[in-house]
Amino acid sequence: MTWLDLPADTGFGLENLPYGVFSPADGRRRVGVAIGEWVLDAGAVAAATGAPFAHLLAGPVLNPLLAAGRPAWQQVRRALVEWLTEPAFADLVRPHLQPRTGVRLHLPIDVGDYVDFYASEHHATNVGRIFRPDSDPLTPNWKHLPIGYHGRAGSVVVSGTPIVRPTGQRKGPADPAPVFGPSVRLDIEAEVGFVIGAGSALGTSIPVTDFADHVFGVFLLNDWSARDIQAWEYVPLGPFLGKSFATSVSPWIVPLDALHAARVAPPARVPQPLPYLRDAEDWGLDLAIEVRLNGHRLACLPFATMYWTPAQMLAHLTVNGAPTRPGDIYASGTVSGPERDQRGSLLELSWGGTQPLTLPDGATRTFLEDGDEVTICATAPGPGASRIGFGEVSGTILPAERRAS
Amino acid sequence: MTWLDLPADTGFGLENLPYGVFSPADGRRRVGVAIGEWVLDAGAVAAATGAPFAHLLAGPVLNPLLAAGRPAWQQVRRALVEWLTEPAFADLVRPHLQPRTGVRLHLPIDVGDYVDFYASEHHATNVGRIFRPDSDPLTPNWKHLPIGYHGRAGSVVVSGTPIVRPTGQRKGPADPAPVFGPSVRLDIEAEVGFVIGAGSALGTSIPVTDFADHVFGVFLLNDWSARDIQAWEYVPLGPFLGKSFATSVSPWIVPLDALHAARVAPPARVPQPLPYLRDAEDWGLDLAIEVRLNGHRLACLPFATMYWTPAQMLAHLTVNGAPTRPGDIYASGTVSGPERDQRGSLLELSWGGTQPLTLPDGATRTFLEDGDEVTICATAPGPGASRIGFGEVSGTILPAERRAS
């Protein structure tokens, strides 16, 4: 039990303790931990208590903590629990708590590489049906490997960053030549992201069973997508400008250690994957994700339905010997469940723009309009009756930059 | 005229002055400049002369210099020329010169994002003919935009780093299911890379005319490729593990200011590109690139034949508002000319493995074997009769890591 007053239904209880980076007003960036409605200045408490790991929490990003490896992650987590439960620490800790509403949250990590997967069978099937209605919706490789590609790390931004509508080339089937202008099919992709803590050397790989030694934590991600730009550019080398203009992430990294109760068996995989993708202890995560547009709930996404597990994605990413570094991230790809209201993109929700959505206020949407605000949030089961909150990732669409042609 | 003795045919004359990062024996990494057979400890000279830009050359990477922007690049370049030409500086500078053979060269930049283009019409046409013999070799978008995708920044390594043969899934047309093992179609891609100096903000773009304000310099790159892994994985999201195991780069960054005499008119582009890809002062670069396998010349590649210019690639990369950072790199894609011996990959030189190459020592090759050493080097015209050398990027193939399945 903590000596702090926490709301009964907080997603930021003692069981969670997610890490972020905050600054009070315009002050220095500090490593913080969310607890109830508060943010704990974890670096300040570590310094005040003379903790041997204080340098890992000195900021301005989480990368030193990430690089320190799992024993250090567990040591810091034990200390956080002690600080927040032992009454003897209350007087020391209390001055380092401040309301979360009063601080600014920053991108918590220096992102190394960013890989985006395509691990939802329902999403991949929907996309295949929309774009290739006459052929098998899944490509022949889909059930043999977690398909992925590299995104742009430099355009990963923290929740709340305004998203300028991207400009570029597009060419519809009826257009004689490509046209240039702001995207008219701007979309979201609701995803779950994973951050690498301990890296791996060039020429080595990370077996599925070593997942928890390498992955520090989990967050939410909106991989904004310009479907018209993407459709014209993506053959043969994959998505590029249709995605690289912005990817928003939630500010709180939920430690993997907070998600034991959220582990669930993944769906049956047929055919059986190759041995490097097999794990007797295979597990997915039971996150319930919600997508809101201008405050209206658009969809609820069951992450437990993902075909490929986080451990399989990482084993695949490194099976060729690609190195990983602290701060590398990878994401699941759009999370979609089997039902119509469980789809994680407007592309699927509006079925390629052919079935406009009607919002409760009477507005209709196929794709995003300027001024639209999209928010993605999630929770997962914690120990007992508790819930683990992921906070949210949100962004508002600004009009395209004006420019010549 | 420099007070140093330089070989008449050096590619590292006063006209060049490329930057790198070196360490003597196991010492600290320092910013160096190649001159003749020497490396100049530029950071040490800057400190000794009290130069106001000394902090930009303090190492251990070039990123501070990159971030400082073009006026600073020009200021440092003027100082380098002064140090190496004014006899009054000779006594001060001489102790900071050491033979290049005695130092270790390192990856000179902290790489941010890495984008690989596909800008050679001859290469794209060859690849199209090999893989899709019954259809148009170029995809419909090819002449409208420089096709590109993001590669893995974390696996960019400096010349000389051994390359472990990657392992992964492949599936030939006759295989009933994918098989797992070391790549049997390991290839090279001889390319030219560009490093971003001054970045650009999220939501803004870099016009073709602003190229020289943002790009610091030019280097060589070998984008090792496992064609069998790539062929099975790349639909629909593009290359991933077939490329992400390693990308080798040359250690010396040739400043853009050293390449004025190398500018050439690009080929005619039909149809005319969209306005954001047009520039009245359009120029490519006249690099002569040589590819060697175990010391035998395999091919000579005329970079002047590239369809898209470096400025067009950067304008396209950022037209959607994607930000750039000091240390971001992008590469041209495989450089191939119109002739058979001007092809920059074994895929093309052996025509998809159907026409083995015979080397002067009687050995034959379709793709790379363990122990093979590949070296790519290049020069470009400098002022007068001088040549600008790029040094080389080389790598030797090590056997695949042994592992279960």
Side-chain angles (χ1 to χ4, degrees), chain A residues 29-80:
Chain A
R29 296 186 186 204
R30 299 144 189 269
V31 171
V33 170
I35 178 80
E37 301 303 310
W38 309 84
V39 55
L40 174 70
D41 187 336
V45 177
T49 58
F53 51 76
H55 61 291
L56 303 180
L57 304 179
V61 287
L62 297 178
N63 293 56
L65 176 61
L66 301 180
R70 196 179 184 193
W73 308 338
Q74 293 174 330
Q75 183 187 20
V76 175
R77 189 168 168 81
R78 279 193 303 269
L80 290 169

Side-chain angles (χ1 to χ4, degrees), chain B residues 250-301:
Chain B
S250 57
W252 296 109
I253 311 290
V254 174
L256 205 62
D257 275 339
L259 294 170
H260 285 281
R263 297 185 182 190
V264 286
R269 267 72 56 96
V270 179
Q272 190 181 39
L274 282 163
Y276 78 94
L277 294 171
R278 284 183 217 158
D279 180 358
E281 309 275 311
D282 217 13
W283 48 268
L285 288 170
D286 185 22
L287 274 61
I289 304 169
E290 189 173 300
V291 181
R292 289 196 291 260
L293 173 60
N294 300 333
H296 306 300
R297 188 163 73 187
L298 275 192
C300 291
L301 320 175

Side-chain angles (χ1 to χ4, degrees), chain B residues 7-350:
Chain B
D9 59 348
T10 182
F12 293 128
L14 265 186
E15 309 79 12
N16 191 347
L17 303 176
Y19 294 90
V21 169
F22 74 99
S23 58
D26 284 332
R28 187 172 58 79
R29 296 187 185 203
R30 298 143 190 272
V31 171
V33 170
I35 178 81
E37 302 302 310
W38 308 84
V39 55
L40 174 70
D41 188 335
V45 177
T49 58
F53 51 76
H55 62 291
L56 303 180
L57 304 179
V61 287
L62 298 178
N63 293 56
L65 176 61
L66 301 179
R70 195 179 184 191
W73 310 337
Q74 292 174 330
Q75 183 188 20
V76 176
R77 191 169 168 81
R78 279 192 303 268
L80 289 169
V81 171
E82 193 180 6
W83 298 338
L84 292 167
T85 53
E86 291 291 333
F89 278 106
D91 285 348
L92 186 151
V93 170
R94 212 182 299 270
H96 300 293
L97 286 165
Q98 33 191 317
R100 281 216 309 285
T101 50
V103 304
R104 184 163 170 213
L105 295 171
H106 302 277
L107 188 64
I109 45 180
D110 258 345
V111 178
D113 274 297
Y114 161 38
V115 167
D116 199 21
F117 284 95
Y118 191 52
S120 161
E121 180 176 4
H122 302 293
H123 169 68
T125 302
N126 288 336
V127 170
R129 286 199 178 125
I130 292 167
F131 287 129
R132 300 178 299 271
D134 300 323
S135 53
D136 196 333
L138 295 182
T139 50
N141 51 10
W142 203 93
K143 294 215 163 177
H144 295 281
L145 51 83
I147 291 175
Y149 70 102
H150 283 86
R152 189 164 187 82
S155 50
V156 174
V157 297
V158 75
S159 175
T161 305
I163 304 301
V164 176
R165 180 180 296 273
T167 294
Q169 293 192 29
R170 61 177 185 271
K171 183 179 173 298
D175 294 326
V179 296
F180 184 85
S183 170
V184 295
R185 287 166 73 93
L186 184 56
D187 199 357
I188 61 164
E189 295 203 326
E191 309 195 10
V192 176
F194 301 86
V195 57
I196 303 288
S200 54
L202 183 79
T204 69
S205 54
I206 300 176
V208 279
T209 47
D210 288 359
F211 174 76
D213 290 332
H214 290 272
V215 168
F216 174 80
V218 185
F219 57 97
L220 304 176
L221 182 146
N222 185 348
D223 193 35
W224 307 94
S225 298
R227 301 297 180 192
D228 41 4
I229 295 172
Q230 184 185 348
W232 170 232
E233 74 177 358
Y234 90 106
V235 175
L237 299 186
F240 182 33
L241 300 188
K243 304 275 195 174
S244 65
F245 56 96
T247 302
S248 299
V249 299
S250 57
W252 296 109
I253 311 290
V254 174
L256 205 62
D257 275 339
L259 294 170
H260 285 281
R263 297 185 182 190
V264 286
R269 267 72 56 96
V270 179
Q272 190 181 39
L274 282 163
Y276 78 94
L277 294 171
R278 284 183 217 158
D279 180 358
E281 309 275 311
D282 217 13
W283 48 268
L285 288 170
D286 185 22
L287 274 61
I289 304 169
E290 189 173 300
V291 181
R292 289 196 291 260
L293 173 60
N294 300 333
H296 306 300
R297 188 163 73 187
L298 275 192
C300 291
L301 320 175
F303 192 67
T305 63
M306 298 299 280
Y307 192 86
W308 297 107
T309 69
Q312 287 174 319
M313 295 182 220
L314 183 60
H316 186 65
L317 194 161
T318 57
V319 73
N320 67 343
T324 58
R325 297 172 292 177
D328 284 350
I329 63 173
Y330 66 96
S332 61
T334 307
V335 180
S336 291
E339 307 300 330
R340 284 182 66 105
D341 58 357
Q342 295 181 332
R343 296 168 180 168
S345 69
L346 289 168
L347 176 73
E348 295 162 88
L349 289 164
S350 74

